[in-house]
Amino acid sequence: MKRTMPKNSLLKTLVSLLTHISKKRKIQLSLTIVLMMFVAVLEMVSLGLVIPFLSILTSPDVFYEKIALLGNNELLKFIKENVNSLSITILFCIVTVVAGLSRVILLWMGTKVSFSTGADINKDVFQKTISQPYLVHVNRNTSELINSIFGNSKNVILTISAVLTLISSIFIMTAILITLLMINSIMTISMFILFSFIYAGFIFFTRKKQLGNSELMHNGSASLIKILQESLGGVRDIILDGTQKFHVENFASIDAHLRRAQASTIFINGFPKHVIESIGILGITGFGYFITIQNGNVSAAVPIIGGFAFGAQKILPLAQQIYTSWSSLLSNYASLNNLLSLLQQKNAFTENDKKNKLHFSHELKVQDIFFKYKKSSKWILNGITLTIKKGSVTGLMGVSGGGKSTFLDVMMGLLEPNEGFISIDGKHISFSEMSSWAFNISHVPQTIYLSDASIAMNISLKNNPQEIDQENLLEAVKKAQLEDFIKTLPNGLDTFVGERGIMLSGGQRQRIGIARALYKKSDVLILDEATSALDSETEREIMKTVNELSDQITIIMVAHRLSSLEICDDIYKIKDGKLEKLKAKDLAD
């Protein structure tokens, strides 16, 4: 299984993630922290009331004697007149209820902020990922990308929640420790040092294991997604070849490693709790015995023992929460670093590219284009020059691997040529401007991408029906010769096409692709082997549709068969990275 250890420290990763949080979320986080402080004060007050509460209930005379030792007669008089078992009980109950409600509100705010921030970051990651140059996508592993965007987004939420829990627990624990120091400093300091030492030991000895589990879980999730994609995508061949066992064993092996890492992480997170609880109970028991012997009076010692027991009941879960939160941050370490690298991507395309759309009025010229994917590889395009007039129909043909698709990608601005340039109406276009040029182009490939949505939404690529330009939609449907087919559907343009357009025939999918291109109102329509998978009759119908469009837009057609290029004004052949114009004699042959 692939392992790539994170480069950033945990603290640096968390700080970097915070820089990507919106101003609104930062305000919400700040308000959450303020509420944490308020809850910490309430916890301090509620713990501080335990001793007077128990003292008045068990031995009020001893309580009044201790107040008298302060030498403030007015305070003693006020307490005797106003503080009794009923009043202190009511006050203690009120503070306890308010503290409980505050912690519920804190939980609600923390959860809401964690999930909202996670959603914001996830959207930002997807937006930056989808806006990368085409060459970046070509070189990426889609399984790892899906795992980073979908799977690791959950880890962002868990991380933010863990950080908030960590901060909250530290605030409240600090407040409780301050109160316990006032009750008995020696016992408080002793217990704090002991528990800190134990938890520090747990963290020290399990850190390496947690980081290893983090890598295993991150890489394991990506590998599982890869196996699922490949297996489900090729399920027809798997059934025909009877290779189910091979794929199941691969899946089971990786899944077993992943589950072992998850189980190990859960165990590491949970087992200190039971050790600390036992030590805490022993500590309180020993402290109670010591206080009783020291005071020589059980009833006098009850308030102090009760105060420490109450404090321990609160502080032990908080200590476990701090440890668990830290452990959770370590277990999500690899995923967070991976997600951070995606957040730090720079957008290659922006909305301004649409506003700055380049106009094509006369001619498109490709001049001396050279291109190869790697420095060590051979030239895919080797000095290609081509001029395409506005409103013309140009045909490209050639064998597979000859460079047709690469040439189109360069011409559409998806790939940057190593040498040469592209000009529009005589103006040299730099690669940084090519994204604005791309909005003039509609591309209809052999396999049309269709989502499980309505025909109208697939043509317009709008999620909200109210955003669809109905007049433009109907015009595109008419020009793509989809009207007769749409009339046969019970829901017309609102009919859902099924996953990947499974409810449609090949010809219908291609026409939807053409309608989508026309809805975009592009200057250039590229048909990239759009009819190669269709039967002859359907291909002739699609070509008839294209021929009727040829006087309105510039068309570039790529095909294997010359018969598919009969409507073209000029036909070129790409072979070994070079371009050759075919003559009438060549076409006849």
Side-chain angles (χ1 to χ4, degrees), residues 13-31:
T13 299
L14 293 175
V15 171
S16 298
L17 280 174
L18 284 175
T19 62
H20 292 278
I21 295 176
S22 66
K23 183 178 180 181
K24 178 181 178 181
R25 300 304 174 206
K26 287 178 181 176
I27 293 173
Q28 291 176 342
L29 285 170
S30 300
L31 292 174

Side-chain angles (χ1 to χ4, degrees), residues 1 9 26 42 137 140 144 163 235 246 266 305 313 402 406 422 430 444 467 515-516:
M1 198 177 298
S9 67
K26 287 178 181 176
L42 287 176
H137 290 284
R140 269 179 168 163
E144 292 183 2
V163 170
V235 69
F246 169 79
I266 292 172
I305 297 171
Q313 181 264 334
T406 302
I422 294 173
S430 65
V444 182
E467 296 179 0
R516 180 187 290 169

Side-chain angles (χ1 to χ4, degrees), residues 524-584:
V524 179
L525 173 62
I526 295 179
L527 301 173
D528 188 1
E529 299 187 23
T531 62
S532 62
L534 303 179
D535 59 78
S536 299
E537 183 179 350
T538 305
E539 182 185 24
R540 281 194 296 270
E541 292 177 358
I542 296 293
M543 286 298 101
K544 180 181 177 183
T545 300
V546 172
N547 192 36
E548 292 179 359
L549 296 171
S550 60
D551 60 340
Q552 304 167 42
I553 57 178
T554 304
I555 298 174
I556 301 171
M557 298 180 60
V558 179
H560 283 293
R561 300 188 296 263
L562 278 173
S563 59
S564 304
L565 303 176
E566 291 176 348
I567 66 170
C568 296
D569 300 314
D570 297 299
I571 301 176
Y572 297 86
K573 183 177 182 179
I574 297 180
K575 184 178 181 181
D576 298 328
K578 293 185 178 293
L579 191 68
E580 175 189 357
K581 185 174 183 179
L582 297 183
K583 301 176 181 178

Side-chain angles (χ1 to χ4, degrees), residues 112-123:
K112 182 180 178 181
V113 171
S114 298
F115 277 83
S116 299
T117 305
D120 290 347
I121 289 178
N122 209 32
K123 178 184 176 182

Side-chain angles (χ1 to χ4, degrees), residues 164-368:
L164 291 176
T165 301
L166 186 66
I167 296 172
S168 174
S169 298
I170 290 174
F171 280 160
I172 297 173
M173 178 182 280
T174 302
I176 293 173
L177 285 172
I178 291 172
T179 309
L180 291 178
L181 281 170
M182 296 177 184
I183 298 173
N184 190 302
S185 59
I186 296 177
M187 178 63 180
T188 303
I189 293 172
S190 299
M191 295 296 288
F192 176 75
I193 292 174
L194 177 62
F195 290 155
S196 298
F197 180 77
I198 293 172
Y199 273 118
F202 285 142
I203 291 172
F204 178 79
F205 288 109
T206 61
R207 183 177 183 276
K208 187 175 181 180
K209 182 66 174 177
Q210 287 281 59
L211 291 175
N213 288 341
S214 175
E215 283 291 316
L216 285 170
M217 289 187 288
H218 171 69
N219 292 329
S221 297
S223 297
L224 285 182
I225 291 174
K226 180 181 178 183
I227 290 175
L228 286 172
Q229 282 185 303
E230 292 174 350
S231 301
L232 296 177
V235 69
R236 180 172 60 180
D237 293 330
I238 290 174
I239 293 173
L240 291 173
D241 298 336
T243 56
Q244 292 91 338
K245 182 179 179 181
F246 169 79
H247 293 279
V248 169
E249 287 178 349
N250 279 346
F251 180 90
S253 175
I254 295 172
D255 191 52
H257 282 86
L258 174 62
R259 303 311 164 192
R260 278 196 293 269
Q262 290 174 335
S264 174
T265 298
I266 292 172
F267 174 76
I268 291 173
N269 288 350
F271 85 90
K273 173 185 176 183
H274 305 288
V275 177
I276 293 296
E277 283 181 350
S278 300
I279 294 174
I281 292 171
L282 291 174
I284 293 296
T285 303
F287 176 67
Y289 176 77
F290 174 77
I291 291 294
T292 302
I293 296 300
Q294 188 180 53
N295 285 272
N297 185 345
V298 176
S299 60
V302 166
I304 298 176
I305 297 171
F308 254 92
F310 186 71
Q313 181 264 334
K314 288 179 173 292
I315 210 167
L316 290 178
L318 290 171
Q320 179 62 28
Q321 284 181 358
I322 291 173
Y323 171 79
T324 303
S325 297
W326 179 257
S327 183
S328 177
L329 293 176
L330 288 177
S331 64
N332 292 325
Y333 187 23
S335 297
L336 293 176
N337 269 294
N338 181 266
L339 202 64
L340 182 61
S341 67
L342 295 178
L343 276 171
Q344 293 171 338
Q345 299 174 113
K346 296 186 181 299
N347 289 332
F349 308 105
T350 66
E351 288 298 316
N352 288 330
D353 294 331
K354 291 184 179 180
K355 297 177 183 177
N356 299 326
K357 179 179 176 181
L358 297 175
H359 294 288
F360 174 36
S361 303
H362 302 293
E363 68 175 24
L364 160 66
K365 188 172 184 179
V366 179
Q367 183 70 44
D368 296 325

Side-chain angles (χ1 to χ4, degrees), residues 357-358 360 364 408-414 422 424 434-444 516-518 520-527 554 556:
K357 179 179 176 181
L358 297 175
F360 174 36
L364 160 66
L408 290 180
D409 289 340
V410 170
M411 190 165 58
M412 291 187 290
L414 297 176
I422 294 173
I424 311 295
M434 288 301 286
S435 55
S436 297
W437 161 243
F439 290 110
N440 290 276
I441 300 171
S442 289
H443 180 244
V444 182
R516 180 187 290 169
L518 296 172
K520 185 180 175 182
K521 289 189 176 298
S522 302
D523 293 324
V524 179
L525 173 62
I526 295 179
L527 301 173
T554 304
I556 301 171

